[in-house]
Each structure stands twice: as C-alpha cells, then as structure tokens.
Amino acid sequence: MKRFLGVAVSAIALAACGGPEPDTPAQEAKTGVADTESSAAGETRTAGYNEDRNAYFGDLHIHTRSSFDAYIFNVRRTADDAYRFARGDTVTHPSGFDMTIAGGPLDFYTVTDHAEYLGILPVMDTPGTELSELPRAKAMFSNDPQQITTAFQTVGASVRSGEPIDEMYDESIINSVWLQNIEAADRHYVPGEFTTFAAYEYTSVTVNEEENSFAGGNLHRNVFFKGAAPLRAFSTLDSPNPEDLWDWMDQKRAEGFESIAIPHNPNVSDGQMFRLETYNGDPLDAAYAEQRMRNEPLVEVTQVKGTSETHPALSPNDEWADFEIYDRLLASYEVSATEGSYVREAYRNGLKLQEKEGFDPFRFGLVAASDSHVVGGAYAENDYWSKVGIVDGTPMARGSVPFMGTKSWDAQPDNPIVTNAREWFSRWGASGLTGVWAEENTRESIFDAFRRKETFATTGPRMKVRFFAGYEYSEDMLDAPDLTRLAYDGGVPMGGDLIGTGNTPTFLAWAQRDPNMGALQRVQIIKVTSDGEAVFDVACHTGTPDPTTHRCPDNGAAVDMETCTPTGDGASELKTVWQDPDFDPARRATYYVRVLENPSCRWSTWEAMRGNVPPRPDVPQTIQERAYTSPIWYMPAN
C-alpha cells in the first residue's frame, strides 16, 4: 500500500496559520575580508592559513521558507536566519521551541532551497498578489485539509514530471528569490571565519505508476557555485534529466561559473542513482563517466533520511552495515530497490566498468549534511528536532513516544500520524556534517577541497579524520611532530589516486574524537574490488586487531539505558599505519576509512526516556556514531 505526502499535508492543515514574512531585502553590502595577510606571491591569505590544511566542518544542505515543501510545513524562516543559526544564534522552530546548534558555530553552511517554484508559495500566500488570487492558492492556504492536499499534490507532481503549472510558474519571482539567496550567502560570507556558497537543490524524482503526486525515487542534486553564480538556476522544470543539468553546468562553466553538484539520498533512489545505464536507458561510456565526475565529484553519504554507505543485503559480512537504514521512496511507503542505491556497491561497479570498459563513473568523494527544512540542522542525538517543520516537530509526531492517550507501543491507533511516524519519521536520524581539509576558511579553499575530494562525512560528531597512502610510510613517523607534512610529501591524501609501483602501499589512518561527543572505539579501512569487499579494523581502543578475523577486541563500552549515560572507556585519538594483507599489485582497489565511536543512545531513546515511556521497539535503542573518509583509489602502474 502506498500513502503519500498528502496525508502529512493534511496533518498540518489545522496548525498551519502563520502569515508570510517578507523576504529580507537584498541591499546590504557584501561582507569584507577580515584578518588577512599577504603571501610572498602576493596572494591574500586569511588568519589561520595552514599549508598542511585545517579541518573545517559545515552543513551543505539547508532549506528555508523559499522551498516549496518547507513553506507548506509552516517554515517561515529565511536564508539570513539559516546563516545566523549556523553561527550560533538561537532561532525558533515552526513548532515554537528554540533551536541552537550543538557543538558551537560551524565553519561553513549553505542554503540549498529547491529551485522548482523557488519562493512562489510565499507569494501565493500573500494577500493582494496576483498569485494569491489563483483558485489553487486559495485551496492550498485554506483550512480544508483535503483542499490543501489536492492543491499541494499538483505542485509535487509538476516538480516530478518537469511540466510547469503555467499559472504559478512566474520566472520573474523565481529568479528574484534566487538572487536574494545569492545575496544572503554573500552577506554572511566572512573569509577566514565563515564560508557560504550560492547554491540550490535540483529536485529530480523518478516517475512510478502513481500520477499527480511527488512520490518516487530520489535523484536530487545540490548545485554549488565556487564564486559568482548565474542569474537563474536550472531546475526540473527545465528538464528532470540530471544529465541535462550536467550539460547546463558545463555551459555555465565555460561562461566562468564554476560549480559542482552533489547527489543525495541514493538510498531512496529506487536503484536509479548508480544505475548502469544512462537516464534514458543507453549504455554508459567514457564520455558519460568523464562528464559525471567533472560535475559530480562528491556524494552525500549520510543525512536525516538515512545512510547510503551500504546495506546489510549488499554487505552481509559487515557487522556495522545495518546502520540507520531508511528505504522508503520519497513521499511514499513503498520500499526502494537496494541495488543501485548504495555508494560501496557503486565503487565496486565502477571498478568493474574500469576493468572491462576502461572508465569509472562512480569515483565519488564523501560528504554529509542534514537536509533540514527548518533552517537549522539537528546534529546531536540528545537534541533532535528532525526535518519537516510542524509535521514532525514533536516526539509524538516523529514516533519516539506513543500516540496521545496511550502508554503502550502495542496499542497504537491506526491514523496518519501514527503511520507516518512508523514508516518515516521514527527511522530518520540526527545526521550529518561534512568535514574538509583546506588551507583556510574561504570559498576558494573549501571548494578546491571539494574538487580534490579531500572531504569526510560524519553522522553528527565533529571528529577529525585523516587518510593517506604512500610507499615510504613507517610506524616511526606516527610520533613525528611534522607527521602531516611527511604524509603529504610521501603519498596522497583521501580523494587521491595512488599509482602502483609493484610494492605494497602503506596507509595512514588518523582519527581524533569530538571532545563534546563520544569516545572512539575503532578505526576501520574498507577495501572494495570489482568482485568483493573487506572490512579491516586497523586501530583499536583496546588491544590490536586479530590477524585472522581483523577485528578489535571488545572494549566493553556500553550505555546505561536508564540514563543514556555511556559506560566504559574509549580513545581520544587513534592513529596507525597499515598494509593490506591481501594486496595484489596488479589489481585496482578502492580504500576508505570508517571510524566508530563507542555506543550511545539514539535520539528516539533520549526522547522516550524524557517522556517516561519505553523506547520504541522497532528502531535501534543505541547507535555508534561514525565518520567516513573519501577513498584513495589504487591503480596498477600499467
């Protein structure tokens, strides 16, 4: 049975009553450069510049009232509010409570409103405007849940089909709001302190048998511009084919607008994000691979709607594969196809294509984001507010406590709130953040890190992870004060290609905990080849990995489920050099690092404890927060 976003829209009909707020006038001056100095070559550098690169953390996926879905979720906050939240200000959630970022201000943040009907719904909800007089507008902002559902479903269906609704497709408004978002990003950009980008979301959805809805597989991309951005954004109302987006990006790049696109939620793409043919069903070829990697060097591997690293069905020998798996198609209860939807499998298929056809279209680096639609991401399990405004703004709505009037999970009524909580919201997660290794906190330096894939993804904690490979690394260098410089000079960092020499390479993996979050339990290296994968524990809090099983001893860490207090010890830092015991110098392989914290309470357990009810039984009670680095690709010299 399928149920769609309409039921969620119905649920907010009685609560959605906030009037529109005007968009912030885009007239302020662009922020100037702060605390800069000049290099010997005359380049301007900001304070904190480090040629060995610093770790910066940020969220690359945030929505405001200008997104067509956020506005219907009663979100009224603007891009300016989003940037203020990222810098530490408290903003109010649509449900009325305060949101303050966990762990302190971020280093970079990006508003990525949906380009489709950008800013149109607020205008339709503004009395006196021409769009507010449309029968569709009067239905969408009425007090009748059925009218709201029907009217909003037509908008979702238009975004999915790529066929604009002529009466509300006002490009002058859309382009104006796009420019306002660009100007907000410029206004809050403080080189050396806080970086923003002009960006938006391209909202492609696979079409299934259902008509007049948004339901389908996720093929969304967030498009980022390094500096200046064009005057309009390419959306699904131009074409729902992502390959047409890449053509447009190539065209704009030739005009001087450098950009990248980052796909997200392949886990709910219904097997289409990493399919082994083009959007129109043609065979993949070298030109496809080159264009995709030029425009999509990264993929979002974790966010609120689940993890896309791998799936237990694809990685049955990975004990940690069953982590925050979410598999419902967009606005639907239908389960997404598994094959073609996860990054590790894509790495394997890419190597197969490379070996047989001579090209690899899946050489992605890894990033993470929240996909928050309330301007602020919830990154901590003990302070979670989910994603879609008043629709899931309470513990009951997101299913961490039983429906009102009930105390038992066995006696839940059959209604849309309970069903949506069970199928969707209770299975979403408090994730994630992107880490980059960049010389300084500027657009140029961080974007360049995106381009070379020197990025890592975390499920929320700001743990720092380094990953290098070379042929002259040794255990002695681990204590060297200039370890990072030695690593760069003697090898390649995450995101790089390691060319074979006939010798066995040595990998350097180095993780530091987030002092505000859990301690570290282990560091793993994941190896992927064209016909398999292997998970190696390479650094342990307690003891050393077993040479046969490649697993760390149990460090005894656990959680007191009465208080959600972690028990047992963990590491503040884990650092090691490692060689692959099964290394074949003649064979391509992809390696990346996964870092695991000690167990901690999942957000749903925290909320159940505060509600004095048992934790929901059909979701995990604890999790192990983690980080993933971009890979290093080994390739034989020939």
Side-chain angles (χ1 to χ4, degrees):
M1 182 181 70
K2 301 172 186 175
R3 298 289 295 276
F4 302 110
L5 186 61
V7 291
V9 174
S10 298
I12 70 172
L14 298 178
C17 58
E21 298 173 2
D23 285 321
T24 303
Q27 298 174 350
E28 297 179 28
K30 183 175 179 178
T31 305
V33 175
D35 296 330
T36 60
E37 58 184 24
S38 297
S39 68
E43 299 171 331
T44 300
R45 293 173 174 171
T46 61
Y49 180 93
N50 175 11
E51 65 175 358
D52 290 336
R53 297 168 184 159
N54 304 306
Y56 297 108
F57 290 93
D59 191 335
L60 298 170
H61 194 170
I62 293 293
H63 294 269
T64 76
R65 69 193 293 266
S66 295
S67 288
F68 70 93
D69 52 353
Y71 196 83
I72 210 71
F73 300 150
N74 219 34
V75 174
R76 299 295 182 264
R77 292 289 177 178
T78 67
D80 289 294
D81 294 317
Y83 294 123
R84 283 192 283 266
F85 169 86
R87 302 209 69 184
D89 282 4
T90 296
V91 301
T92 304
H93 186 276
S95 295
F97 57 84
D98 288 342
M99 301 183 295
T100 304
I101 194 166
L106 290 169
D107 301 305
F108 58 92
Y109 207 65
T110 307
V111 169
T112 52
D113 281 318
H114 295 289
E116 298 76 13
Y117 300 110
L118 180 67
I120 289 290
L121 265 64
V123 178
M124 294 175 73
D125 193 26
T126 301
T129 64
E130 185 175 341
L131 290 180
S132 72
E133 297 301 317
L134 296 173
R136 190 187 309 273
K138 294 186 181 300
M140 199 177 316
F141 300 107
S142 72
N143 290 322
D144 182 337
Q146 186 56 51
Q147 286 193 49
I148 297 172
T149 299
T150 301
F152 186 71
Q153 293 260 34
T154 62
V155 179
S158 167
V159 172
R160 190 182 72 165
S161 70
E163 298 176 4
I165 301 171
D166 290 339
E167 66 180 14
M168 61 179 283
Y169 185 53
D170 188 326
E171 288 198 77
S172 65
I173 295 173
I174 293 171
N175 294 339
S176 173
V177 176
W178 165 235
L179 293 179
Q180 288 178 23
N181 275 2
I182 294 172
E183 289 162 354
D186 288 343
R187 195 160 46 243
H188 291 271
Y189 175 40
V190 185
E193 295 182 15
F194 183 68
T195 290
T196 61
F197 295 97
Y200 71 92
E201 181 162 351
Y202 168 82
T203 320
S204 180
V205 181
T206 64
V207 176
N208 62 10
E209 70 275 16
E210 296 289 338
E211 296 182 352
N212 299 320
S213 84
F214 187 61
N218 182 92
L219 291 177
H220 298 188
R221 272 83 171 165
N222 289 321
V223 182
F224 298 80
F225 294 90
K226 182 175 183 178
L231 297 177
R232 72 182 298 274
F234 186 94
S235 79
T236 62
L237 302 180
D238 296 299
S239 169
N241 181 347
E243 294 154 34
D244 291 337
L245 169 67
W246 304 340
D247 288 342
W248 179 81
M249 292 170 65
D250 282 341
Q251 176 190 339
K252 292 302 168 186
R253 185 173 293 112
E255 296 173 8
F257 300 106
E258 171 62 11
S259 65
I260 60 171
I262 301 179
H264 69 84
N265 284 117
N267 55 310
V268 292
S269 70
D270 210 18
Q272 302 302 300
M273 190 67 82
F274 307 128
R275 63 187 294 185
L276 298 177
E277 54 188 17
T278 69
Y279 183 83
N280 290 322
D282 296 323
L284 302 183
D285 59 22
Y288 173 95
E290 183 178 343
Q291 185 182 37
R292 184 163 192 174
M293 288 297 92
R294 180 168 63 249
N295 289 294
E296 293 189 354
L298 305 170
V299 62
E300 196 178 287
V301 73
T302 175
Q303 63 135 269
V304 65
K305 294 197 301 295
T307 299
S308 301
E309 181 206 11
T310 192
H311 187 283
L314 299 171
S315 302
N317 297 320
D318 182 349
E319 305 95 307
W320 294 271
D322 190 7
F323 176 75
E324 296 294 86
I325 296 296
Y326 180 74
D327 56 7
R328 298 298 191 267
L329 298 180
L330 297 178
S332 171
Y333 301 153
E334 187 175 351
V335 175
S336 171
T338 300
E339 293 186 357
S341 297
Y342 287 86
V343 175
R344 192 187 298 177
E345 182 199 38
Y347 288 154
R348 184 164 62 247
N349 286 335
L351 291 172
K352 289 180 184 177
L353 287 168
Q354 182 69 57
E355 291 174 357
K356 293 181 179 178
E357 307 287 343
F359 60 85
D360 180 352
F362 304 133
R363 290 165 46 85
F364 299 105
L366 300 181
V367 296
S370 69
D371 196 8
S372 172
H373 279 52
V374 295
V375 311
Y379 312 108
E381 302 294 326
N382 63 357
D383 189 18
Y384 179 71
W385 50 76
S386 196
K387 167 184 171 175
V388 289
I390 61 172
V391 178
D392 62 354
T394 66
M396 185 191 74
R398 49 185 175 259
S400 58
V401 302
F403 193 74
M404 65 178 73
T406 66
K407 284 289 185 180
S408 168
W409 290 107
D410 296 327
Q412 293 302 287
D414 181 12
N415 64 46
I417 292 176
V418 170
T419 304
N420 290 346
R422 182 186 66 239
E423 298 293 324
W424 298 339
F425 308 136
S426 65
R427 306 176 64 202
W428 290 1
S431 184
L433 287 173
T434 290
V436 301
W437 290 105
E439 290 84 354
E440 57 185 342
N441 190 353
T442 64
R443 285 178 174 170
E444 295 77 11
S445 189
I446 291 178
F447 193 94
D448 289 347
F450 294 162
R451 180 58 76 186
R452 66 176 180 270
K453 307 172 191 175
E454 198 167 356
T455 60
F456 55 100
T458 90
T459 54
R462 302 183 198 184
M463 61 179 88
K464 300 177 181 178
V465 193
R466 296 269 201 184
F467 186 40
F468 296 91
Y471 294 100
E472 298 180 357
Y473 294 166
S474 69
E475 191 165 347
D476 293 342
M477 66 188 285
L478 293 177
D479 295 323
D482 57 347
L483 170 59
T484 303
R485 178 45 39 199
L486 293 173
Y488 276 116
D489 289 345
V492 299
M494 61 179 78
D497 293 337
L498 183 68
I499 308 301
T501 63
N503 299 316
T504 300
T506 299
F507 294 87
L508 167 60
W510 181 7
Q512 295 172 302
R513 69 173 287 186
D514 179 342
N516 297 314
M517 303 293 278
L520 305 182
Q521 183 188 78
R522 71 188 71 206
V523 174
Q524 303 174 312
I525 291 181
I526 316 295
K527 176 187 179 183
V528 183
T529 61
S530 60
D531 61 0
E533 62 182 49
V535 178
F536 298 92
D537 288 355
V538 299
C540 315
H541 163 243
T542 302
T544 58
D546 183 286
T548 303
T549 66
H550 308 297
R551 289 292 173 268
C552 292
D554 183 358
N555 72 343
V559 180
D560 180 344
M561 298 306 296
E562 298 297 321
T563 63
C564 277
T565 303
T567 62
D569 295 329
S572 297
E573 179 182 67
L574 292 172
K575 182 169 53 177
T576 192
V577 290
W578 174 82
Q579 289 188 318
D580 177 1
D582 304 317
F583 180 72
D584 180 350
R587 185 146 198 222
R588 290 176 179 267
T590 300
Y591 297 89
Y592 66 95
V593 164
R594 186 171 65 188
V595 182
L596 300 177
E597 285 188 357
N598 282 339
S600 57
C601 272
R602 189 174 189 267
W603 66 266
S604 47
T605 306
W606 277 103
E607 292 189 346
M609 183 182 70
R610 291 171 184 143
N612 197 30
V613 297
R616 187 181 182 93
D618 57 354
V619 297
Q621 295 185 23
T622 63
I623 63 171
Q624 283 187 270
E625 302 273 16
R626 57 197 65 195
Y628 315 90
T629 70
S630 294
I632 291 172
W633 287 271
Y634 170 80
M635 55 186 65
N638 60 356

